[in-house]
């Protein structure tokens, strides 16, 4: 059974940083692209970033380009999202997913990141 | 403002059929697979339709997906009160080199 467990969320001030992790199990992690999607409170889904199986290809939404960095450690079956220069509008639940054509096939339960002073 | 356009809400009676539209452009829906998700309050989204018209195992055949040009449609037949949820479409945008979602549609089963 595919399992994805996010961690690392929390409260941070504007301009601060957070690092989200997503631990995967139940499939061969190194065979799949991985993706992050976020959802602001009461709002819709927003695509954030994706990373290729070996980390050699990465894409970002314009809204996070230059501030967020996606990475992965295939030895640890984990994908990360380093979020810097955080803004109030980055507040929301961040979901990781095992990806298919850019979109999650399987979703984690989400990690809440709150950016507030 | 979402790149893909969905109606904010749709409604229908139990047992009836409803369709949810998702409108885009030639750089996304026009040339990419479509994904549909169902989300209940306080929970993670669930994949309903992938590759435009395929259902994951466990998703009943009451749910269907289709595409024509730059628009996609999610169909739900035999509506049940348990289908009340938010529904989102998604597609890869080749111009943005990023995924894009619709703004979501709230389904009410009257």
């Amino acid at each position: 059974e595919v399992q994805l467990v996010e961690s690392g969320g929390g409260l941070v001030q504007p301009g601060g940083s957070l690092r989200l992790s997503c631990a995967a199990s139940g499939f061969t992690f190194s065979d799949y692209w991985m993706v992050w999607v976020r959802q602001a409170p009461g709002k819709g889904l927003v695509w954030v970033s994706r990373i290729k199986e070996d980390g050699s290809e990465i894409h970002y939404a314009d809204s996070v380009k230059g501030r967020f960095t996606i990475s992965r450690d295939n030895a640890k079956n984990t994908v990360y999202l380093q979020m810097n220069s955080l803004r109030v509008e980055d507040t929301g639940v961040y979901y990781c997913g095992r990806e298919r054509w850019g979109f999650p096939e399987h979703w984690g339960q989400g990690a809440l990141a709150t950016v507030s002073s | 403002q979402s790149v893909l356009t969905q109606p904010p809400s749709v409604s229908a009676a139990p047992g009836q059929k409803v369709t949810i539209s998702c409108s885009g452009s030639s750089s996304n829906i026009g040339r990419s697979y479509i994904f549909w998700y169902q989300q209940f309050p306080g929970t993670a989204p669930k994949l309903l339709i992938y590759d435009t018209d395929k259902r994951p195992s466990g998703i009943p055949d009451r749910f269907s997906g289709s595409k024509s040009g730059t628009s996609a449609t999610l169909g739900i037949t035999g509506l049940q009160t348990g289908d009340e949820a938010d529904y989102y479409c998604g597609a890869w945008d080749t111009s943005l080199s990023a995924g894009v979602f619709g703004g979501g549609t709230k389904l009410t089963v009257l």
Side-chain angles (χ1 to χ4, degrees), chain A residues 37 39 43-47 50 59 95 100-105 107-108, chain B residues 33 35 37 39 44-45 50-51 88 90-92 97-101:
Chain A
V37 172
Q39 186 171 35
K43 302 297 184 182
L45 302 175
V46 176
W47 189 94
R50 74 193 286 230
H59 299 105
Y95 297 100
R100 182 182 178 88
W101 298 118
F103 286 83
E105 276 186 297
W107 298 67
Chain B
Y33 285 125
F35 293 79
Y37 298 93
Q39 186 180 34
Y50 69 98
D51 295 1
Y88 295 91
W92 186 257
S97 291
V100 290
F101 282 100

PDB file of all heavy atoms in Angstrom, chain A residues 37 39 43-47 50 59 95 100-105 107-108, chain B residues 33 35 37 39 44-45 50-51 88 90-92 97-101:
ATOM      1  N   VAL A  37       1.676  19.873  -3.811  1.00  0.00           N
ATOM      2  CA  VAL A  37       0.485  20.686  -4.089  1.00  0.00           C
ATOM      3  C   VAL A  37       0.091  21.350  -2.776  1.00  0.00           C
ATOM      4  O   VAL A  37       0.194  20.733  -1.720  1.00  0.00           O
ATOM      5  CB  VAL A  37      -0.672  19.809  -4.607  1.00  0.00           C
ATOM      6  CG1 VAL A  37      -1.975  20.617  -4.719  1.00  0.00           C
ATOM      7  CG2 VAL A  37      -0.306  19.186  -5.956  1.00  0.00           C
ATOM      8  N   GLN A  39      -2.770  24.062  -0.500  1.00  0.00           N
ATOM      9  CA  GLN A  39      -4.148  24.532  -0.425  1.00  0.00           C
ATOM     10  C   GLN A  39      -4.266  25.527   0.722  1.00  0.00           C
ATOM     11  O   GLN A  39      -4.108  25.147   1.883  1.00  0.00           O
ATOM     12  CB  GLN A  39      -5.104  23.350  -0.219  1.00  0.00           C
ATOM     13  CG  GLN A  39      -6.563  23.712  -0.272  1.00  0.00           C
ATOM     14  CD  GLN A  39      -7.460  22.488  -0.289  1.00  0.00           C
ATOM     15  OE1 GLN A  39      -7.157  21.459   0.337  1.00  0.00           O
ATOM     16  NE2 GLN A  39      -8.555  22.564  -1.012  1.00  0.00           N
ATOM     17  N   LYS A  43      -9.568  27.548   0.391  1.00  0.00           N
ATOM     18  CA  LYS A  43      -9.341  27.818  -1.037  1.00  0.00           C
ATOM     19  C   LYS A  43      -9.088  26.527  -1.804  1.00  0.00           C
ATOM     20  O   LYS A  43      -9.150  25.439  -1.258  1.00  0.00           O
ATOM     21  CB  LYS A  43      -8.135  28.766  -1.189  1.00  0.00           C
ATOM     22  CG  LYS A  43      -8.294  30.100  -0.459  1.00  0.00           C
ATOM     23  CD  LYS A  43      -9.444  30.910  -1.006  1.00  0.00           C
ATOM     24  CE  LYS A  43      -9.527  32.274  -0.332  1.00  0.00           C
ATOM     25  NZ  LYS A  43     -10.680  33.067  -0.829  1.00  0.00           N
ATOM     26  N   GLY A  44      -8.789  26.684  -3.101  1.00  0.00           N
ATOM     27  CA  GLY A  44      -8.595  25.533  -3.958  1.00  0.00           C
ATOM     28  C   GLY A  44      -7.171  25.019  -3.971  1.00  0.00           C
ATOM     29  O   GLY A  44      -6.278  25.525  -3.276  1.00  0.00           O
ATOM     30  N   LEU A  45      -6.969  23.981  -4.777  1.00  0.00           N
ATOM     31  CA  LEU A  45      -5.656  23.353  -4.898  1.00  0.00           C
ATOM     32  C   LEU A  45      -4.758  24.185  -5.804  1.00  0.00           C
ATOM     33  O   LEU A  45      -5.210  24.730  -6.818  1.00  0.00           O
ATOM     34  CB  LEU A  45      -5.803  21.954  -5.481  1.00  0.00           C
ATOM     35  CG  LEU A  45      -6.692  20.984  -4.712  1.00  0.00           C
ATOM     36  CD1 LEU A  45      -6.844  19.672  -5.490  1.00  0.00           C
ATOM     37  CD2 LEU A  45      -6.146  20.726  -3.321  1.00  0.00           C
ATOM     38  N   VAL A  46      -3.489  24.248  -5.436  1.00  0.00           N
ATOM     39  CA  VAL A  46      -2.492  24.966  -6.236  1.00  0.00           C
ATOM     40  C   VAL A  46      -1.268  24.066  -6.409  1.00  0.00           C
ATOM     41  O   VAL A  46      -0.686  23.595  -5.428  1.00  0.00           O
ATOM     42  CB  VAL A  46      -2.080  26.291  -5.565  1.00  0.00           C
ATOM     43  CG1 VAL A  46      -0.961  26.970  -6.361  1.00  0.00           C
ATOM     44  CG2 VAL A  46      -3.275  27.221  -5.432  1.00  0.00           C
ATOM     45  N   TRP A  47      -0.897  23.849  -7.631  1.00  0.00           N
ATOM     46  CA  TRP A  47       0.285  23.032  -7.939  1.00  0.00           C
ATOM     47  C   TRP A  47       1.549  23.809  -7.580  1.00  0.00           C
ATOM     48  O   TRP A  47       1.648  25.012  -7.874  1.00  0.00           O
ATOM     49  CB  TRP A  47       0.261  22.690  -9.426  1.00  0.00           C
ATOM     50  CG  TRP A  47       1.254  21.695  -9.885  1.00  0.00           C
ATOM     51  CD1 TRP A  47       1.086  20.351 -10.013  1.00  0.00           C
ATOM     52  CD2 TRP A  47       2.602  21.960 -10.307  1.00  0.00           C
ATOM     53  NE1 TRP A  47       2.227  19.759 -10.478  1.00  0.00           N
ATOM     54  CE2 TRP A  47       3.175  20.733 -10.670  1.00  0.00           C
ATOM     55  CE3 TRP A  47       3.377  23.112 -10.411  1.00  0.00           C
ATOM     56  CZ2 TRP A  47       4.483  20.613 -11.121  1.00  0.00           C
ATOM     57  CZ3 TRP A  47       4.675  23.009 -10.859  1.00  0.00           C
ATOM     58  CH2 TRP A  47       5.212  21.763 -11.208  1.00  0.00           C
ATOM     59  N   ARG A  50       7.503  19.751  -8.871  1.00  0.00           N
ATOM     60  CA  ARG A  50       7.691  18.324  -9.122  1.00  0.00           C
ATOM     61  C   ARG A  50       9.156  18.041  -9.355  1.00  0.00           C
ATOM     62  O   ARG A  50       9.925  18.926  -9.787  1.00  0.00           O
ATOM     63  CB  ARG A  50       6.869  17.864 -10.327  1.00  0.00           C
ATOM     64  CG  ARG A  50       7.448  18.328 -11.644  1.00  0.00           C
ATOM     65  CD  ARG A  50       6.521  18.166 -12.814  1.00  0.00           C
ATOM     66  NE  ARG A  50       6.319  16.813 -13.298  1.00  0.00           N
ATOM     67  CZ  ARG A  50       6.430  16.461 -14.584  1.00  0.00           C
ATOM     68  NH1 ARG A  50       6.778  17.359 -15.477  1.00  0.00           N
ATOM     69  NH2 ARG A  50       6.159  15.240 -14.973  1.00  0.00           N
ATOM     70  N   HIS A  59      10.503  21.178 -11.828  1.00  0.00           N
ATOM     71  CA  HIS A  59       9.635  22.272 -12.275  1.00  0.00           C
ATOM     72  C   HIS A  59       9.023  22.966 -11.062  1.00  0.00           C
ATOM     73  O   HIS A  59       8.774  22.317 -10.041  1.00  0.00           O
ATOM     74  CB  HIS A  59       8.513  21.743 -13.179  1.00  0.00           C
ATOM     75  CG  HIS A  59       8.996  21.086 -14.425  1.00  0.00           C
ATOM     76  ND1 HIS A  59       8.984  19.725 -14.603  1.00  0.00           N
ATOM     77  CD2 HIS A  59       9.511  21.608 -15.560  1.00  0.00           C
ATOM     78  CE1 HIS A  59       9.467  19.432 -15.807  1.00  0.00           C
ATOM     79  NE2 HIS A  59       9.796  20.570 -16.397  1.00  0.00           N
ATOM     80  N   TYR A  95       0.595  19.228   0.451  1.00  0.00           N
ATOM     81  CA  TYR A  95       0.464  17.801   0.215  1.00  0.00           C
ATOM     82  C   TYR A  95       1.584  17.328  -0.711  1.00  0.00           C
ATOM     83  O   TYR A  95       1.881  17.990  -1.706  1.00  0.00           O
ATOM     84  CB  TYR A  95      -0.851  17.477  -0.482  1.00  0.00           C
ATOM     85  CG  TYR A  95      -2.111  17.805   0.287  1.00  0.00           C
ATOM     86  CD1 TYR A  95      -2.832  18.967   0.007  1.00  0.00           C
ATOM     87  CD2 TYR A  95      -2.612  16.939   1.255  1.00  0.00           C
ATOM     88  CE1 TYR A  95      -4.009  19.260   0.682  1.00  0.00           C
ATOM     89  CE2 TYR A  95      -3.781  17.217   1.929  1.00  0.00           C
ATOM     90  CZ  TYR A  95      -4.470  18.378   1.636  1.00  0.00           C
ATOM     91  OH  TYR A  95      -5.642  18.657   2.308  1.00  0.00           O
ATOM     92  N   ARG A 100       1.939  11.384 -11.505  1.00  0.00           N
ATOM     93  CA  ARG A 100       1.676  10.836 -12.835  1.00  0.00           C
ATOM     94  C   ARG A 100       1.355  12.000 -13.751  1.00  0.00           C
ATOM     95  O   ARG A 100       0.406  12.731 -13.517  1.00  0.00           O
ATOM     96  CB  ARG A 100       0.502   9.858 -12.796  1.00  0.00           C
ATOM     97  CG  ARG A 100       0.209   9.216 -14.137  1.00  0.00           C
ATOM     98  CD  ARG A 100      -0.998   8.284 -14.031  1.00  0.00           C
ATOM     99  NE  ARG A 100      -1.308   7.696 -15.328  1.00  0.00           N
ATOM    100  CZ  ARG A 100      -0.761   6.581 -15.783  1.00  0.00           C
ATOM    101  NH1 ARG A 100       0.120   5.937 -15.046  1.00  0.00           N
ATOM    102  NH2 ARG A 100      -1.082   6.107 -16.970  1.00  0.00           N
ATOM    103  N   TRP A 101       2.158  12.197 -14.764  1.00  0.00           N
ATOM    104  CA  TRP A 101       1.973  13.297 -15.718  1.00  0.00           C
ATOM    105  C   TRP A 101       1.785  14.638 -15.014  1.00  0.00           C
ATOM    106  O   TRP A 101       0.991  15.463 -15.446  1.00  0.00           O
ATOM    107  CB  TRP A 101       0.799  13.026 -16.666  1.00  0.00           C
ATOM    108  CG  TRP A 101       0.976  11.821 -17.534  1.00  0.00           C
ATOM    109  CD1 TRP A 101       0.203  10.703 -17.548  1.00  0.00           C
ATOM    110  CD2 TRP A 101       2.011  11.589 -18.495  1.00  0.00           C
ATOM    111  NE1 TRP A 101       0.674   9.797 -18.461  1.00  0.00           N
ATOM    112  CE2 TRP A 101       1.777  10.303 -19.069  1.00  0.00           C
ATOM    113  CE3 TRP A 101       3.101  12.342 -18.948  1.00  0.00           C
ATOM    114  CZ2 TRP A 101       2.615   9.767 -20.050  1.00  0.00           C
ATOM    115  CZ3 TRP A 101       3.932  11.797 -19.931  1.00  0.00           C
ATOM    116  CH2 TRP A 101       3.669  10.533 -20.460  1.00  0.00           C
ATOM    117  N   GLY A 102       2.517  14.822 -13.922  1.00  0.00           N
ATOM    118  CA  GLY A 102       2.497  16.109 -13.236  1.00  0.00           C
ATOM    119  C   GLY A 102       1.557  16.207 -12.064  1.00  0.00           C
ATOM    120  O   GLY A 102       1.596  17.197 -11.320  1.00  0.00           O
ATOM    121  N   PHE A 103       0.733  15.179 -11.859  1.00  0.00           N
ATOM    122  CA  PHE A 103      -0.312  15.274 -10.842  1.00  0.00           C
ATOM    123  C   PHE A 103      -0.283  14.083  -9.901  1.00  0.00           C
ATOM    124  O   PHE A 103       0.143  12.992 -10.269  1.00  0.00           O
ATOM    125  CB  PHE A 103      -1.683  15.406 -11.516  1.00  0.00           C
ATOM    126  CG  PHE A 103      -1.885  16.766 -12.089  1.00  0.00           C
ATOM    127  CD1 PHE A 103      -1.376  17.060 -13.342  1.00  0.00           C
ATOM    128  CD2 PHE A 103      -2.510  17.759 -11.377  1.00  0.00           C
ATOM    129  CE1 PHE A 103      -1.492  18.334 -13.868  1.00  0.00           C
ATOM    130  CE2 PHE A 103      -2.652  19.033 -11.887  1.00  0.00           C
ATOM    131  CZ  PHE A 103      -2.133  19.318 -13.144  1.00  0.00           C
ATOM    132  N   PRO A 104      -0.754  14.292  -8.668  1.00  0.00           N
ATOM    133  CA  PRO A 104      -0.711  13.194  -7.689  1.00  0.00           C
ATOM    134  C   PRO A 104      -1.673  12.068  -8.045  1.00  0.00           C
ATOM    135  O   PRO A 104      -2.841  12.290  -8.296  1.00  0.00           O
ATOM    136  CB  PRO A 104      -1.131  13.874  -6.382  1.00  0.00           C
ATOM    137  CG  PRO A 104      -0.942  15.334  -6.595  1.00  0.00           C
ATOM    138  CD  PRO A 104      -1.216  15.558  -8.043  1.00  0.00           C
ATOM    139  N   GLU A 105      -1.101  10.841  -8.000  1.00  0.00           N
ATOM    140  CA  GLU A 105      -1.935   9.641  -8.021  1.00  0.00           C
ATOM    141  C   GLU A 105      -2.331   9.301  -6.594  1.00  0.00           C
ATOM    142  O   GLU A 105      -3.438   8.865  -6.320  1.00  0.00           O
ATOM    143  CB  GLU A 105      -1.117   8.449  -8.530  1.00  0.00           C
ATOM    144  CG  GLU A 105      -1.007   8.288  -9.999  1.00  0.00           C
ATOM    145  CD  GLU A 105      -0.281   6.975 -10.297  1.00  0.00           C
ATOM    146  OE1 GLU A 105       0.891   6.859  -9.914  1.00  0.00           O
ATOM    147  OE2 GLU A 105      -0.901   6.083 -10.897  1.00  0.00           O
ATOM    148  N   TRP A 107      -1.860  10.683  -2.453  1.00  0.00           N
ATOM    149  CA  TRP A 107      -1.633  11.893  -1.669  1.00  0.00           C
ATOM    150  C   TRP A 107      -1.257  11.539  -0.234  1.00  0.00           C
ATOM    151  O   TRP A 107      -1.739  10.554   0.316  1.00  0.00           O
ATOM    152  CB  TRP A 107      -2.900  12.747  -1.618  1.00  0.00           C
ATOM    153  CG  TRP A 107      -3.406  13.252  -2.913  1.00  0.00           C
ATOM    154  CD1 TRP A 107      -3.936  12.519  -3.940  1.00  0.00           C
ATOM    155  CD2 TRP A 107      -3.459  14.619  -3.333  1.00  0.00           C
ATOM    156  NE1 TRP A 107      -4.305  13.354  -4.971  1.00  0.00           N
ATOM    157  CE2 TRP A 107      -4.036  14.641  -4.628  1.00  0.00           C
ATOM    158  CE3 TRP A 107      -3.100  15.841  -2.742  1.00  0.00           C
ATOM    159  CZ2 TRP A 107      -4.238  15.827  -5.344  1.00  0.00           C
ATOM    160  CZ3 TRP A 107      -3.314  17.020  -3.443  1.00  0.00           C
ATOM    161  CH2 TRP A 107      -3.871  17.005  -4.724  1.00  0.00           C
ATOM    162  N   GLY A 108      -0.440  12.387   0.370  1.00  0.00           N
ATOM    163  CA  GLY A 108      -0.227  12.300   1.801  1.00  0.00           C
ATOM    164  C   GLY A 108      -1.368  13.000   2.519  1.00  0.00           C
ATOM    165  O   GLY A 108      -2.299  13.522   1.889  1.00  0.00           O
TER     166      GLY A 108
ATOM    167  N   TYR B  33      -3.128  15.232 -20.575  1.00  0.00           N
ATOM    168  CA  TYR B  33      -4.095  14.410 -19.859  1.00  0.00           C
ATOM    169  C   TYR B  33      -4.781  15.262 -18.780  1.00  0.00           C
ATOM    170  O   TYR B  33      -4.187  16.191 -18.230  1.00  0.00           O
ATOM    171  CB  TYR B  33      -3.401  13.227 -19.183  1.00  0.00           C
ATOM    172  CG  TYR B  33      -2.995  12.124 -20.126  1.00  0.00           C
ATOM    173  CD1 TYR B  33      -1.675  11.682 -20.169  1.00  0.00           C
ATOM    174  CD2 TYR B  33      -3.933  11.493 -20.936  1.00  0.00           C
ATOM    175  CE1 TYR B  33      -1.296  10.648 -21.009  1.00  0.00           C
ATOM    176  CE2 TYR B  33      -3.568  10.465 -21.782  1.00  0.00           C
ATOM    177  CZ  TYR B  33      -2.245  10.044 -21.815  1.00  0.00           C
ATOM    178  OH  TYR B  33      -1.887   9.027 -22.653  1.00  0.00           O
ATOM    179  N   PHE B  35      -6.872  15.308 -15.079  1.00  0.00           N
ATOM    180  CA  PHE B  35      -7.030  14.606 -13.814  1.00  0.00           C
ATOM    181  C   PHE B  35      -8.191  15.248 -13.061  1.00  0.00           C
ATOM    182  O   PHE B  35      -8.370  16.470 -13.093  1.00  0.00           O
ATOM    183  CB  PHE B  35      -5.748  14.700 -12.976  1.00  0.00           C
ATOM    184  CG  PHE B  35      -4.597  13.958 -13.588  1.00  0.00           C
ATOM    185  CD1 PHE B  35      -3.877  14.507 -14.640  1.00  0.00           C
ATOM    186  CD2 PHE B  35      -4.253  12.699 -13.142  1.00  0.00           C
ATOM    187  CE1 PHE B  35      -2.841  13.817 -15.238  1.00  0.00           C
ATOM    188  CE2 PHE B  35      -3.217  11.996 -13.726  1.00  0.00           C
ATOM    189  CZ  PHE B  35      -2.507  12.553 -14.771  1.00  0.00           C
ATOM    190  N   TYR B  37     -10.196  15.228  -9.178  1.00  0.00           N
ATOM    191  CA  TYR B  37     -10.075  14.860  -7.770  1.00  0.00           C
ATOM    192  C   TYR B  37     -11.351  15.201  -7.023  1.00  0.00           C
ATOM    193  O   TYR B  37     -12.049  16.175  -7.340  1.00  0.00           O
ATOM    194  CB  TYR B  37      -8.905  15.607  -7.118  1.00  0.00           C
ATOM    195  CG  TYR B  37      -7.564  15.290  -7.732  1.00  0.00           C
ATOM    196  CD1 TYR B  37      -7.050  16.085  -8.753  1.00  0.00           C
ATOM    197  CD2 TYR B  37      -6.839  14.183  -7.315  1.00  0.00           C
ATOM    198  CE1 TYR B  37      -5.825  15.788  -9.336  1.00  0.00           C
ATOM    199  CE2 TYR B  37      -5.616  13.874  -7.888  1.00  0.00           C
ATOM    200  CZ  TYR B  37      -5.122  14.686  -8.900  1.00  0.00           C
ATOM    201  OH  TYR B  37      -3.912  14.373  -9.477  1.00  0.00           O
ATOM    202  N   GLN B  39     -12.681  15.965  -3.061  1.00  0.00           N
ATOM    203  CA  GLN B  39     -12.185  16.313  -1.739  1.00  0.00           C
ATOM    204  C   GLN B  39     -13.336  16.612  -0.786  1.00  0.00           C
ATOM    205  O   GLN B  39     -14.181  17.455  -1.058  1.00  0.00           O
ATOM    206  CB  GLN B  39     -11.253  17.529  -1.802  1.00  0.00           C
ATOM    207  CG  GLN B  39     -10.589  17.839  -0.465  1.00  0.00           C
ATOM    208  CD  GLN B  39      -9.671  19.042  -0.525  1.00  0.00           C
ATOM    209  OE1 GLN B  39      -9.923  20.004  -1.251  1.00  0.00           O
ATOM    210  NE2 GLN B  39      -8.591  19.014   0.254  1.00  0.00           N
ATOM    211  N   ALA B  44      -7.566  14.988   2.609  1.00  0.00           N
ATOM    212  CA  ALA B  44      -6.775  15.129   1.393  1.00  0.00           C
ATOM    213  C   ALA B  44      -7.628  14.793   0.172  1.00  0.00           C
ATOM    214  O   ALA B  44      -8.557  13.980   0.262  1.00  0.00           O
ATOM    215  CB  ALA B  44      -5.558  14.212   1.448  1.00  0.00           C
ATOM    216  N   PRO B  45      -7.327  15.393  -0.961  1.00  0.00           N
ATOM    217  CA  PRO B  45      -8.043  15.027  -2.191  1.00  0.00           C
ATOM    218  C   PRO B  45      -7.809  13.563  -2.542  1.00  0.00           C
ATOM    219  O   PRO B  45      -6.815  12.955  -2.113  1.00  0.00           O
ATOM    220  CB  PRO B  45      -7.421  15.948  -3.248  1.00  0.00           C
ATOM    221  CG  PRO B  45      -6.816  17.062  -2.476  1.00  0.00           C
ATOM    222  CD  PRO B  45      -6.353  16.461  -1.194  1.00  0.00           C
ATOM    223  N   TYR B  50      -7.949   9.684 -14.024  1.00  0.00           N
ATOM    224  CA  TYR B  50      -6.613  10.015 -14.500  1.00  0.00           C
ATOM    225  C   TYR B  50      -6.533   9.760 -15.997  1.00  0.00           C
ATOM    226  O   TYR B  50      -7.372   9.045 -16.557  1.00  0.00           O
ATOM    227  CB  TYR B  50      -5.536   9.234 -13.739  1.00  0.00           C
ATOM    228  CG  TYR B  50      -5.525   7.746 -14.016  1.00  0.00           C
ATOM    229  CD1 TYR B  50      -4.644   7.194 -14.936  1.00  0.00           C
ATOM    230  CD2 TYR B  50      -6.388   6.874 -13.334  1.00  0.00           C
ATOM    231  CE1 TYR B  50      -4.623   5.833 -15.194  1.00  0.00           C
ATOM    232  CE2 TYR B  50      -6.373   5.521 -13.581  1.00  0.00           C
ATOM    233  CZ  TYR B  50      -5.495   5.005 -14.512  1.00  0.00           C
ATOM    234  OH  TYR B  50      -5.484   3.649 -14.764  1.00  0.00           O
ATOM    235  N   ASP B  51      -5.533  10.355 -16.612  1.00  0.00           N
ATOM    236  CA  ASP B  51      -5.369  10.191 -18.066  1.00  0.00           C
ATOM    237  C   ASP B  51      -6.674  10.474 -18.807  1.00  0.00           C
ATOM    238  O   ASP B  51      -7.030   9.750 -19.748  1.00  0.00           O
ATOM    239  CB  ASP B  51      -4.847   8.799 -18.399  1.00  0.00           C
ATOM    240  CG  ASP B  51      -3.447   8.548 -17.880  1.00  0.00           C
ATOM    241  OD1 ASP B  51      -2.889   9.451 -17.235  1.00  0.00           O
ATOM    242  OD2 ASP B  51      -2.911   7.458 -18.104  1.00  0.00           O
ATOM    243  N   TYR B  88     -12.080  18.933  -8.325  1.00  0.00           N
ATOM    244  CA  TYR B  88     -11.057  19.739  -8.992  1.00  0.00           C
ATOM    245  C   TYR B  88     -10.545  19.038 -10.245  1.00  0.00           C
ATOM    246  O   TYR B  88     -10.327  17.819 -10.229  1.00  0.00           O
ATOM    247  CB  TYR B  88      -9.848  19.967  -8.079  1.00  0.00           C
ATOM    248  CG  TYR B  88     -10.145  20.782  -6.846  1.00  0.00           C
ATOM    249  CD1 TYR B  88     -10.538  20.172  -5.660  1.00  0.00           C
ATOM    250  CD2 TYR B  88     -10.013  22.171  -6.864  1.00  0.00           C
ATOM    251  CE1 TYR B  88     -10.805  20.919  -4.528  1.00  0.00           C
ATOM    252  CE2 TYR B  88     -10.279  22.932  -5.719  1.00  0.00           C
ATOM    253  CZ  TYR B  88     -10.672  22.293  -4.574  1.00  0.00           C
ATOM    254  OH  TYR B  88     -10.932  23.038  -3.441  1.00  0.00           O
ATOM    255  N   GLY B  90      -7.366  19.091 -13.186  1.00  0.00           N
ATOM    256  CA  GLY B  90      -5.973  19.494 -13.308  1.00  0.00           C
ATOM    257  C   GLY B  90      -5.408  19.038 -14.630  1.00  0.00           C
ATOM    258  O   GLY B  90      -5.840  18.021 -15.181  1.00  0.00           O
ATOM    259  N   ALA B  91      -4.449  19.796 -15.143  1.00  0.00           N
ATOM    260  CA  ALA B  91      -3.787  19.433 -16.395  1.00  0.00           C
ATOM    261  C   ALA B  91      -2.407  20.077 -16.424  1.00  0.00           C
ATOM    262  O   ALA B  91      -2.181  21.125 -15.807  1.00  0.00           O
ATOM    263  CB  ALA B  91      -4.593  19.899 -17.608  1.00  0.00           C
ATOM    264  N   TRP B  92      -1.494  19.447 -17.146  1.00  0.00           N
ATOM    265  CA  TRP B  92      -0.159  20.022 -17.315  1.00  0.00           C
ATOM    266  C   TRP B  92      -0.221  21.136 -18.345  1.00  0.00           C
ATOM    267  O   TRP B  92      -0.844  20.988 -19.391  1.00  0.00           O
ATOM    268  CB  TRP B  92       0.828  18.949 -17.767  1.00  0.00           C
ATOM    269  CG  TRP B  92       2.228  19.451 -17.813  1.00  0.00           C
ATOM    270  CD1 TRP B  92       2.951  19.803 -18.930  1.00  0.00           C
ATOM    271  CD2 TRP B  92       3.096  19.685 -16.702  1.00  0.00           C
ATOM    272  NE1 TRP B  92       4.189  20.236 -18.560  1.00  0.00           N
ATOM    273  CE2 TRP B  92       4.315  20.174 -17.202  1.00  0.00           C
ATOM    274  CE3 TRP B  92       2.956  19.516 -15.325  1.00  0.00           C
ATOM    275  CZ2 TRP B  92       5.389  20.507 -16.374  1.00  0.00           C
ATOM    276  CZ3 TRP B  92       4.022  19.842 -14.499  1.00  0.00           C
ATOM    277  CH2 TRP B  92       5.220  20.331 -15.023  1.00  0.00           C
ATOM    278  N   SER B  97       5.158  25.104 -18.170  1.00  0.00           N
ATOM    279  CA  SER B  97       5.939  23.977 -17.640  1.00  0.00           C
ATOM    280  C   SER B  97       5.604  23.758 -16.172  1.00  0.00           C
ATOM    281  O   SER B  97       6.487  23.627 -15.306  1.00  0.00           O
ATOM    282  CB  SER B  97       7.440  24.223 -17.806  1.00  0.00           C
ATOM    283  OG  SER B  97       7.803  24.177 -19.166  1.00  0.00           O
ATOM    284  N   ALA B  98       4.321  23.738 -15.907  1.00  0.00           N
ATOM    285  CA  ALA B  98       3.825  23.557 -14.541  1.00  0.00           C
ATOM    286  C   ALA B  98       2.427  22.963 -14.612  1.00  0.00           C
ATOM    287  O   ALA B  98       1.738  23.079 -15.627  1.00  0.00           O
ATOM    288  CB  ALA B  98       3.791  24.880 -13.786  1.00  0.00           C
ATOM    289  N   GLY B  99       2.015  22.358 -13.527  1.00  0.00           N
ATOM    290  CA  GLY B  99       0.645  21.884 -13.447  1.00  0.00           C
ATOM    291  C   GLY B  99      -0.292  23.037 -13.123  1.00  0.00           C
ATOM    292  O   GLY B  99       0.113  24.006 -12.481  1.00  0.00           O
ATOM    293  N   VAL B 100      -1.535  22.918 -13.559  1.00  0.00           N
ATOM    294  CA  VAL B 100      -2.548  23.917 -13.244  1.00  0.00           C
ATOM    295  C   VAL B 100      -3.830  23.211 -12.836  1.00  0.00           C
ATOM    296  O   VAL B 100      -4.164  22.147 -13.365  1.00  0.00           O
ATOM    297  CB  VAL B 100      -2.822  24.875 -14.427  1.00  0.00           C
ATOM    298  CG1 VAL B 100      -1.632  25.798 -14.652  1.00  0.00           C
ATOM    299  CG2 VAL B 100      -3.141  24.113 -15.709  1.00  0.00           C
ATOM    300  N   PHE B 101      -4.530  23.809 -11.876  1.00  0.00           N
ATOM    301  CA  PHE B 101      -5.797  23.272 -11.401  1.00  0.00           C
ATOM    302  C   PHE B 101      -6.924  24.232 -11.727  1.00  0.00           C
ATOM    303  O   PHE B 101      -6.699  25.444 -11.912  1.00  0.00           O
ATOM    304  CB  PHE B 101      -5.770  23.102  -9.874  1.00  0.00           C
ATOM    305  CG  PHE B 101      -5.034  21.902  -9.368  1.00  0.00           C
ATOM    306  CD1 PHE B 101      -3.740  22.021  -8.873  1.00  0.00           C
ATOM    307  CD2 PHE B 101      -5.629  20.655  -9.357  1.00  0.00           C
ATOM    308  CE1 PHE B 101      -3.059  20.923  -8.385  1.00  0.00           C
ATOM    309  CE2 PHE B 101      -4.969  19.543  -8.869  1.00  0.00           C
ATOM    310  CZ  PHE B 101      -3.678  19.675  -8.389  1.00  0.00           C
TER     311      PHE B 101
END
